């Protein structure tokens, strides 16, 4: 089986993901997953969640490039990309990933600032007198 490509997105982060059969090695931006995320164990679990759900953690090699956003948004974009690549590989994976919500693009982004306001919705302090 050849390499499968998918793109994952979250907030302003984008992850380009290549999945191929292998030994379960994950390389992100030229670093392994532990080096890339350091001690953030909960975020590491988010990244490997699609592999755990489809029981492919030891049989797929993942190479990814992430850009934009912070490390947490990049990790969630990576999770989205891995899920989409696995769904492209096998329809049975799609049936497993879809109910978990892993194929849905989380469309929540930061609301823009409006004029006359201090932030997106925060009004200036009101003074009665």
């Amino acid at each position: 089986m050849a390499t499968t490509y998918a793109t994952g997105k979250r907030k302003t982060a984008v992850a380009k993901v290549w999945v191929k059969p292998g030994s379960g090695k994950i390389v992100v931006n030229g670093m392994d997953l532990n080096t890339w995320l350091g001690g953030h164990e909960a975020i590491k679990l988010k990244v490997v969640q699609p592999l755990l759900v489809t029981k492919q953690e030891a049989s797929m090699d993942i190479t990814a490039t992430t850009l934009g956003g912070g490390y947490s948004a990049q990790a969630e974009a990576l999770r989205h990309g891995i899920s989409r690549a696995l769904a492209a590989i096998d329809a049975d994976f799609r049936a497993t990933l879809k109910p978990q919500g892993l194929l849905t693009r989380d469309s929540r982004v930061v609301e823009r600032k409006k004029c006359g306001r201090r932030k997106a919705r925060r009004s200036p302090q009101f003074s009665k007198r």
Side-chain angles (χ1 to χ4, degrees):
M1 187 175 75
T3 305
T4 307
Y5 171 78
T7 307
K9 293 182 179 181
R10 170 75 170 102
K11 291 186 180 180
T12 58
V14 179
K16 301 172 187 174
V17 182
W18 292 268
V19 177
K20 64 180 180 183
S23 58
K25 191 171 63 173
I26 301 174
V27 178
V28 185
N29 296 341
M31 298 174 261
D32 69 313
L33 188 63
N34 291 326
T35 311
W36 182 60
L37 277 176
H40 300 283
E41 295 302 323
I43 299 174
K44 281 183 208 167
L45 281 173
K46 273 186 185 177
V47 170
V48 296
Q49 187 182 0
L51 297 169
L52 296 172
V53 168
T54 56
K55 297 175 178 63
Q56 298 296 310
E57 60 270 16
S59 59
M60 294 288 180
D61 279 349
I62 295 166
T63 309
T65 309
T66 58
L67 51 137
Y71 62 85
S72 185
Q74 284 185 357
E76 291 192 26
L78 181 55
R79 177 177 73 174
H80 185 227
I82 293 168
S83 301
R84 289 176 74 174
L86 288 172
I89 289 169
D90 191 353
D92 294 338
F93 292 160
R94 182 178 176 80
T96 316
L97 293 164
K98 188 95 170 123
Q100 299 279 326
L102 295 172
L103 294 173
T104 308
R105 200 274 202 213
D106 192 346
S107 60
R108 296 175 295 168
V109 291
V110 178
E111 191 175 339
R112 77 173 195 87
K113 186 200 174 300
K114 278 70 161 201
C115 55
R117 302 268 174 170
R118 284 180 27 192
K119 290 168 47 180
R121 298 186 181 201
R122 169 80 164 98
S123 303
Q125 187 171 356
F126 176 74
S127 173
K128 196 165 188 178
R129 288 180 192 88

